[in-house]
Amino acid sequence: MKKILFLTVLLLLTFFLLFPQLQIPWMIVDDGESARASAELSEHFTRGDISWLFKFEAQNGLMRPSYWLLHWLNFSLLGTNAYLHHLSHLLLFVGIATLLFFLVEEISKDSFAGLLAGLFFLLFSPASENFYRLGTGEPGLVLFLLGAFYFFVRAIKKNSWFSFSLSTIFLVLSWFSKSTVIILIPEAVIIFLLFFLFPEKSRPKSLRFAL
């Protein structure tokens, strides 16, 4: 019961903080480029050229297919309605807050700790522009990383290969969402190796060490 109550409080606060963005029209920064890139992606996908997603920013030394795929999905499903795009952005933060709550609650076995983690994320974010700008890459990156860690925790505790597979998928998506995340690859490899190095019975005990 407390878990549901604390999660509800967190989600209501998330909605309250991000609701004003629904009134924001398209912005000069990022939005035009996102629309243009999504249109180009649709053309290439129609021709069956999926590989272009990985070559789109090659001239700039970047490769962010997960980032552009999220924008393409939004424009494909929502068209050019700014309100719907900001609503999708709000729901993205709802997903982040939910995953963060369950991740901390899963590790600590304390739903109040999950609430505090969510509140800290919402109220003390170092990059507040992510709350109203549609073009930043951090929200998608955070969602993927939280998904990777949450299912990794589940994989260790439940000895579940299904959860481990989901964790791996989310981790790979995070690697291709923002270029700076490359610094996390060595750490991620070490953490995931622990899944194989520790005997099954000792995996739950090694969870805190792994994280």
Side-chain angles (χ1 to χ4, degrees):
M1 184 64 182
K2 286 197 302 182
K3 178 190 292 190
I4 297 176
L5 174 62
F6 290 147
L7 178 60
T8 301
V9 170
L10 179 60
L11 295 184
L12 287 175
L13 180 61
T14 303
F15 184 82
F16 175 77
L17 289 176
L18 275 77
F19 179 78
Q21 74 159 301
L22 298 180
Q23 309 302 317
I24 300 176
W26 292 114
M27 302 177 68
I28 296 177
V29 180
D30 298 327
D31 292 345
E33 176 65 12
S34 298
R36 183 194 67 81
S38 297
E40 287 191 36
L41 281 175
S42 292
E43 294 179 5
H44 284 273
F45 287 165
T46 300
R47 297 198 296 265
D49 183 15
I50 299 178
S51 64
W52 191 79
L53 180 63
F54 295 85
K55 299 180 291 186
F56 174 55
E57 296 180 293
Q59 70 276 12
N60 298 323
L62 299 174
M63 187 171 66
R64 302 182 295 171
S66 300
Y67 170 81
W68 290 114
L69 192 60
L70 281 177
H71 283 292
W72 174 78
L73 286 172
N74 269 330
F75 277 97
S76 298
L77 297 174
L78 307 176
T80 56
N81 188 314
Y83 174 86
L84 293 180
H85 280 262
H86 281 285
L87 179 61
S88 173
H89 191 66
L90 187 154
L91 294 177
L92 178 62
F93 272 86
V94 168
I96 290 173
T98 302
L99 270 175
L100 181 58
F101 175 88
F102 280 112
L103 173 61
V104 175
E105 193 273 338
E106 184 75 24
I107 295 174
S108 65
K109 294 301 179 183
D110 186 349
S111 54
F112 184 65
L115 172 62
L116 290 179
L119 292 177
F120 186 85
F121 167 75
L122 292 171
L123 300 177
F124 300 100
S125 174
S128 58
E129 65 176 354
N130 291 318
F131 289 105
Y132 59 87
R133 275 184 58 195
L134 299 177
T136 58
E138 286 80 6
L141 168 62
V142 171
L143 180 73
F144 294 142
L145 282 177
L146 286 175
F149 278 110
Y150 173 73
F151 285 109
F152 178 68
V153 171
R154 298 285 295 177
I156 290 180
K157 286 194 170 184
K158 305 295 184 181
N159 193 30
S160 169
W161 282 101
F162 177 72
S163 294
F164 183 78
S165 299
L166 289 177
S167 178
T168 303
I169 291 172
F170 274 105
L171 185 64
V172 172
L173 287 172
S174 74
W175 290 347
F176 290 110
S177 61
K178 192 172 176 65
S179 55
T180 52
V181 81
I182 192 172
I183 64 175
L184 297 178
I185 293 180
E187 290 87 345
V189 171
I190 293 173
I191 290 175
F192 272 66
L193 282 176
L194 293 174
F195 185 81
F196 299 99
L197 295 179
F198 280 97
E200 292 183 9
K201 292 183 179 180
S202 64
R203 283 175 184 170
K205 295 180 182 180
S206 65
L207 176 59
R208 293 182 184 275
F209 173 73
L211 293 175

